[in-house]
Amino acid sequence: MLKNILGRIYALYALLLFAGMMLIVLIPVSIASFWPEPVPTRVFIAIGRRWMNIYLPLIGCPTRLKGMENFASGQTYVIVCNHNSMMDVPITTGYIPGANKTLAKASMGNIPLFGILYRIGGILVDRSSEASRKQSILDMKEALSKGIHMLLYPEGTRNRTADPLKSFYDGAFALAIDTQMPLMPSVLFNTKKILPPEKTFFAWPHRIEYHILPPIPTTGMTRDDMPALKEKVFRLMWDYYEANNKD
């Protein structure tokens, strides 16, 4: 009972601190939004990285990064990551070197104030609309052509199971093959322990680790190679998670 009470107090503290810092971040990000891409995204990511560097230690969630040397200077990637909690997007977006965008629900862009960050840092899609889905693919390809990494969560939604991963959708792998961009697997640890999916308005501090794995070239691949690529990346991330999930 004591942990439940403390966990809710901590969740309130983390939420209020996030909201307060977000109001500060909104000022320069909103100004940058008047410029054409990739300027708004580059400004957003640069500020977001500093935001997370301050915010995460203040809430008792220091983050350790590993494998950042796998990013080659001047190369753009389609990055895939496991998805366990609402914390995943700000952490991964903030720590990936260089400008990057993710795919987000269109409804997220309608949230007052917070939606501005999603509209700049993400490509919004209404999954119930075929036209919106097709447009999001074009938008992702355009972002890649401008040197902006695409960060995607191939599980689609948060993993609420006890397994390291849920099954993958095709989208990220089709995008990498269509654009012939290298596919970069990455694995995030411990965010499910901070925000347990079975609890409501509860959080608990824990260290976070974000590991970047070596990229997989897609040059010469076609859509016929997509199932094998998807299975390869799924198995690689599953095995890596099991081997490195220490606690």
Side-chain angles (χ1 to χ4, degrees):
M1 182 179 293
L2 178 60
K3 185 173 182 178
N4 282 334
I5 294 172
L6 293 175
R8 283 162 173 76
I9 294 172
Y10 168 75
L12 179 61
Y13 160 70
L15 179 61
L16 292 176
L17 182 61
F18 183 90
M21 296 182 76
M22 181 187 71
L23 293 176
I24 298 172
V25 166
L26 276 172
I27 298 171
V29 170
S30 297
I31 294 172
S33 68
F34 290 101
W35 272 262
E37 286 286 9
V39 173
T41 300
R42 293 189 187 282
V43 170
F44 171 72
I45 296 302
I47 294 174
R49 187 172 296 114
R50 288 164 178 77
W51 180 8
M52 288 300 107
N53 282 337
I54 296 170
Y55 174 73
L56 291 172
L58 285 177
I59 63 169
C61 297
T63 302
R64 175 176 175 260
L65 308 176
K66 182 178 179 181
M68 293 297 159
E69 68 278 2
N70 288 317
F71 281 91
S73 178
Q75 177 64 60
T76 308
Y77 298 93
V78 175
I79 305 159
V80 292
C81 183
N82 57 318
H83 193 13
N84 289 322
S85 86
M86 293 293 288
M87 295 188 69
D88 299 345
V89 174
I91 293 168
T92 51
T93 298
Y95 285 120
I96 289 172
N100 66 88
K101 287 183 178 290
T102 189
L103 193 65
K105 293 179 182 178
S107 58
M108 299 297 289
N110 297 325
I111 300 174
L113 298 179
F114 187 66
I116 297 173
L117 302 183
Y118 258 88
R119 290 195 296 271
I120 294 176
I123 289 173
L124 304 182
V125 58
D126 178 357
R127 292 188 173 91
S128 65
S129 166
E130 183 178 357
S132 179
R133 293 196 302 271
K134 288 181 178 179
Q135 184 60 49
S136 71
I137 294 171
L138 296 176
D139 291 342
M140 288 191 289
K141 290 180 178 179
E142 182 180 2
L144 288 167
S145 72
K146 293 180 178 179
I148 300 173
H149 307 302
M150 281 306 310
L151 166 64
L152 300 173
Y153 300 91
E155 295 165 288
T157 57
R158 284 170 285 165
N159 180 9
R160 298 176 182 271
T161 75
D163 293 330
L165 299 170
K166 293 194 306 177
S167 58
F168 285 175
Y169 289 95
D170 292 342
F173 309 95
L175 179 65
I177 289 172
D178 288 350
T179 58
Q180 297 289 279
M181 293 290 180
L183 186 76
M184 179 170 277
S186 65
V187 181
L188 192 60
F189 297 93
N190 300 326
T191 55
K192 187 183 291 187
K193 296 170 185 173
I194 299 169
L195 293 175
E198 70 278 4
K199 291 181 177 288
T200 302
F201 201 76
F202 175 95
W204 199 256
H206 200 291
R207 65 178 178 81
I208 299 167
E209 298 209 11
Y210 185 40
H211 296 189
I212 303 292
L213 310 187
I216 300 170
T218 62
T219 304
M221 287 188 183
T222 68
R223 286 290 187 99
D224 291 338
D225 300 304
M226 187 172 63
L229 176 63
K230 183 171 69 171
E231 177 59 30
K232 176 181 180 179
V233 174
F234 180 88
R235 181 47 53 192
L236 177 69
M237 290 172 61
W238 180 293
D239 292 345
Y240 188 91
Y241 185 97
E242 287 198 319
N244 293 274
N245 186 32
K246 303 301 182 183
D247 53 8

